[in-house]
Amino acid sequence: MIGAAKRAGRNRLRRLGQARELRRRTPPPLRYDPSHRGPGLVYYLSPDDNKPSGGIRNLYRHVDLLNESGVPAAMLHSRPGFRADWFANRTRVAAAGEVTLGPGDLLVVPEYFGPGLHRLPAPARKLIFNQNAYHTFAEVPFDGTPAGAPYRNCPGIEALLTVSRDNAALLRHAFGDLDVHLTRVVVDERVFHPPARPAGRRIGHMPRRRAAEQEQLLHILRARGVLAGWELVPIDGLTEAQTAEALRGCPIFLSFSEREGFGLPPAEAMASGAYVVGFTGLGGRDFFDPRYCAPVAEGDLLGFAVAVERALRRYEEDPAAVVAAGRAAAERIHSAYHPDGLRADLTAVYRTYRSPAVPA
């Protein structure tokens, strides 16, 4: 009887957690008026979340670059006056309750709201901005949903946007009837760049990612004595500028990416001159290159431990070689993931999907 009561309690807690998650993933109510004649805006719908998040930072960057390019755009939050402020921005922001969509407007919806797409106005023209294809079906149950959910049965979806070649391939495989466009991530060279002077013996890591595996890895490294003389630098809950400063102080960075759309932490670490060791998170296969970092096979804890030990030994024996590899990584990231490239990607997309009624 006690065991049954515990199971019932756990099931209730699980259902409550699922209900809360579904509420968070439900987009705010939006009005649509087919007779509405406005300037034809691109609205990027976003959760009202002010914790550091590369995904939300990317939404704001899209809006800024579109406005700079002459395409009127705005962030669309639920709460009036809300704006993410953990990074510097003057991005145009609107509140969902104060907006009326019309035929000339375009609504860009992150994959986060996938379970609640049916709540959006059916006639509204939509692009799905899927920043993590591996989360496409989160909270979208297999039982009770049709083939192609959550996108194929949602009216008004015209195309999918994503952030890596890896994710684009997965989305094209799953949704062959929808166009998929790559809009690259930006790693801002003004913020993330190598230090002026070589960093000390510090190892950067983000402790919340794959925390149990991190704990095991650190135990292994400590047991073998390889952490002696090195400082572990947990990077968590920092502003964008603080994160960049912390990364510049770490010549080695441990990547615990897992099923990523792109994998900003290791990319930002590379841009900051770090030699990155660890998991690509799949999406990171776009930029993990063994010429300037040490990719580890997914889930291979032993391989990870060996690669870290090898990197630390290399730094102790020839620090200049590790610094040079980090700078090569920074050059690669800066040359591929820059604002001009994203601006060109967005121009190509919105040349196609802006309403013909709106002047180009």
Side-chain angles (χ1 to χ4, degrees):
M1 292 293 292
I2 295 176
K6 285 184 176 179
R7 284 194 298 274
R10 285 196 295 266
N11 288 336
R12 281 195 297 273
L13 288 174
R14 185 170 61 252
R15 287 194 295 271
L16 286 171
Q18 290 172 337
R20 283 194 296 270
E21 182 63 17
L22 282 173
R23 284 197 297 272
R24 284 194 291 266
R25 290 173 175 266
T26 299
L30 288 168
R31 291 189 299 270
Y32 181 87
D33 181 353
S35 64
H36 179 71
R37 293 293 180 265
L41 261 72
V42 180
Y43 289 104
Y44 273 71
L45 190 60
S46 173
D48 292 355
D49 189 345
N50 204 29
K51 296 190 297 292
S53 160
I56 290 176
R57 178 71 180 94
N58 208 18
L59 299 176
Y60 273 67
R61 180 173 278 115
H62 276 220
V63 170
D64 288 340
L65 289 176
L66 286 173
N67 281 312
E68 290 174 14
S69 302
V71 178
M75 292 296 301
L76 194 57
H77 283 290
S78 297
R79 284 181 282 159
F82 180 89
R83 139 186 333 268
D85 61 8
W86 58 271
F87 58 94
N89 74 85
R90 300 174 67 181
T91 305
R92 181 177 181 179
V93 173
E98 300 169 358
V99 165
T100 298
L101 299 173
D105 298 314
L106 189 57
L107 184 63
V108 184
V109 187
E111 86 290 338
Y112 180 82
F113 291 118
L117 288 177
H118 62 284
R119 295 179 178 270
L120 295 172
R125 300 170 55 242
K126 308 170 187 74
L127 299 180
I128 302 297
F129 187 18
N130 192 316
Q131 297 193 69
N132 194 327
Y134 298 102
H135 293 174
T136 299
F137 305 103
E139 305 300 329
V140 180
F142 184 80
D143 294 332
T145 57
Y151 300 151
R152 194 170 292 143
N153 59 325
C154 178
I157 293 180
E158 300 191 357
L160 309 179
L161 312 181
T162 194
V163 293
S164 66
R165 294 190 300 273
D166 174 90
N167 274 213
L170 180 56
L171 291 171
R172 287 178 182 128
H173 186 75
F175 304 102
D177 53 337
L178 286 171
D179 289 335
V180 178
H181 300 273
L182 181 60
T183 54
R184 76 192 71 191
V185 170
V186 168
V187 182
D188 192 340
E189 185 175 3
R190 297 168 300 178
V191 179
F192 296 96
H193 54 81
R197 293 184 296 277
R201 291 192 176 192
R202 299 184 187 91
I203 302 169
H205 66 111
M206 296 196 168
R208 287 188 297 168
R209 290 176 180 262
R210 301 173 82 149
E213 288 172 275
Q214 288 207 43
E215 188 87 353
Q216 292 185 60
L217 177 73
L218 295 178
H219 269 294
I220 293 168
L221 296 174
R222 187 175 65 180
R224 290 183 56 80
V226 300
L227 294 180
W230 286 86
E231 177 188 353
L232 291 171
V233 180
I235 300 171
D236 186 35
L238 304 180
T239 66
E240 185 177 52
Q242 290 168 338
T243 297
E245 184 178 1
L247 289 171
R248 277 192 292 278
C250 299
I252 305 290
F253 179 83
L254 308 183
S255 173
F256 280 90
S257 295
E258 182 176 24
R259 298 195 323 140
E260 300 284 350
F262 176 75
L264 263 177
E268 291 174 345
M270 289 181 191
S272 303
Y275 185 78
V276 173
V277 183
F279 302 137
T280 67
L282 304 178
R285 290 181 292 192
D286 276 23
F287 59 87
F288 267 72
D289 188 322
R291 289 176 296 179
Y292 51 71
C293 65
V296 175
E298 176 62 27
D300 184 358
L301 189 62
L302 173 58
F304 202 153
V306 170
V308 174
E309 186 168 342
R310 185 180 296 126
L312 298 185
R313 186 183 305 116
R314 184 184 178 196
Y315 186 88
E316 291 166 356
E317 295 172 354
D318 188 3
V322 177
V323 170
R327 290 189 175 274
E331 291 175 7
R332 165 72 177 90
I333 296 297
H334 293 151
S335 67
Y337 303 107
H338 50 81
D340 288 343
L342 175 57
R343 186 180 290 107
D345 296 341
L346 293 174
T347 297
V349 168
Y350 290 102
R351 185 184 296 124
T352 301
Y353 295 104
R354 289 189 77 195
S355 169
V358 180

